[in-house]
Amino acid sequence: MRPDLRFARLSLPALAVVAVCVVTACSRNSEGIRPVTVESQPSSLKSQETPADRARPFVQLGQKYMELGKLELAQDNLLKALKYDRQSVNAHTLLATLYDRIGDRTQALQHYREAVQLAPKAGAENNNYGMYLCKLGQYAEARKYFDAAFADGFYAAKASAYTNAGTCELLGQGSLDLAEADFRKALAFEPNNAQALFQLANVLYKKNDFFKARAFVQRYDAVGQPSPDALSLARDIELKLGHADAARDYAQRLRDQFPESEQARALQSPPSS
């Protein structure tokens, strides 16, 4: 997901780290899926069922249809889940993701907001909402929800939240120091987080700390996820350090691996013979 925002060498794959699979009991069979209705349960259990019990099979089915790309069927089942349980955080989260995917910002924002209102201290819901607010350009408001995600001691994906927060800080042209701190914290949780490695190199380059920037872009390269942005950044770092041969090597890799990229076309020097 790449918001329509312009910032030098800034990409947002990290903002897509929110897992689509939010329900642990997902079925892996894509054929013959049927929701388990209340009527299909033994009558002795009906009185024990909660709204969440009744909603759960529709949430699971809606999630499966989303994974299959059948968004209309996913929407239908998730809305049914909410008829049984308006407080289903998973249903709201999946619907928000669905509406975001089809470009319905009003509905996406509403469901992300409802999910975080229902689970105000939950890391995942706060990270999701912060991510979406950032996508809408509401950078200062997004930071509040990233901070709430950091505060959840049980949240396992803090590297994602810190990476999203740092990227959002850069998109809003905020504090480079704060963005650097976010990316370093992300790497403390997940040392090979490619997005955090690249963005930290980017921040250090902007701060004219070229030796440290070089170290992090090399770590990014070692993770094995080359990109036009990273190769272009690595080339520029080597030029700043006065390493013309290394800069030419990165430029050649950029031409070879991403010949149609904007970064390759922007190179001034002709390809080496």
Side-chain angles (χ1 to χ4, degrees):
M1 167 162 45
R2 192 180 293 270
D4 187 19
L5 299 165
R6 193 71 177 173
F7 195 82
R9 290 199 181 91
L10 196 57
S11 59
L12 269 186
L15 294 187
V17 295
V18 181
V20 172
C21 190
V22 297
V23 183
T24 56
C26 302
S27 170
R28 292 297 171 192
N29 297 318
S30 61
E31 299 297 330
I33 307 170
R34 295 291 185 274
V36 180
T37 64
V38 174
E39 288 72 22
S40 68
Q41 300 297 324
S43 58
S44 61
L45 295 180
K46 285 183 180 180
S47 61
Q48 301 175 19
E49 286 188 327
T50 66
D53 293 330
R54 297 181 180 189
R56 187 175 299 111
F58 292 102
V59 173
Q60 293 173 349
L61 188 56
Q63 179 180 297
K64 176 54 65 176
Y65 279 128
M66 282 189 66
E67 292 170 358
L68 296 174
K70 298 180 179 180
L71 300 186
E72 290 185 8
L73 290 172
Q75 179 189 36
D76 181 59
N77 280 278
L78 293 169
L79 291 175
K80 287 178 181 177
L82 289 181
K83 287 182 180 179
Y84 282 110
D85 182 12
R86 280 298 306 176
Q87 296 187 330
S88 172
V89 173
N90 289 336
H92 283 296
T93 298
L94 286 165
L95 275 169
T97 305
L98 186 154
Y99 286 124
D100 183 20
R101 191 179 299 181
I102 65 175
D104 189 337
R105 290 188 170 188
T106 300
Q107 288 292 333
L109 186 62
Q110 175 186 330
H111 286 286
Y112 276 129
R113 184 187 297 117
E114 290 198 45
V116 83
Q117 288 173 345
L118 289 166
K121 295 183 179 181
E125 283 65 41
N126 280 285
N127 186 23
N128 290 344
Y129 192 38
M131 170 274 298
Y132 197 67
L133 289 172
C134 184
K135 180 176 179 177
L136 297 181
Q138 299 179 34
Y139 308 114
E141 188 70 9
R143 169 60 64 169
K144 298 176 185 178
Y145 293 94
F146 290 131
D147 287 343
F150 307 153
D152 181 359
F154 296 101
Y155 186 37
K158 286 190 178 178
S160 165
Y162 278 114
T163 303
N164 286 349
T167 304
C168 190
E169 192 70 21
L170 292 183
L171 282 170
Q173 302 187 39
S175 166
L176 291 178
D177 289 340
L178 182 55
E180 178 182 351
D182 287 333
F183 295 130
R184 289 188 182 277
K185 288 174 183 176
L187 292 172
F189 284 102
E190 190 178 320
N192 290 329
N193 184 306
Q195 178 72 358
L197 288 168
F198 166 70
Q199 294 294 11
L200 183 52
N202 184 30
V203 167
L204 292 168
Y205 177 83
K206 294 178 186 300
K207 295 176 75 172
N208 297 321
D209 195 343
F210 303 121
F211 282 104
K212 288 182 181 178
R214 183 191 194 201
F216 283 102
V217 83
Q218 287 177 340
R219 281 178 59 183
Y220 173 91
D221 202 26
V223 171
Q225 297 188 24
S227 69
D229 282 336
L231 291 173
S232 178
L233 175 60
R235 170 185 175 271
D236 290 349
I237 291 170
E238 297 297 346
L239 287 174
K240 291 291 186 180
L241 292 172
H243 301 159
D245 289 343
R248 280 193 293 271
D249 289 342
Y250 280 116
Q252 192 59 53
R253 283 182 60 189
L254 183 54
R255 295 187 186 96
D256 291 344
Q257 296 179 35
F258 304 97
E260 301 302 320
S261 68
E262 178 182 346
Q263 294 81 357
R265 291 195 297 268
L267 293 175
Q268 298 297 317
S269 57
S272 59
S273 57

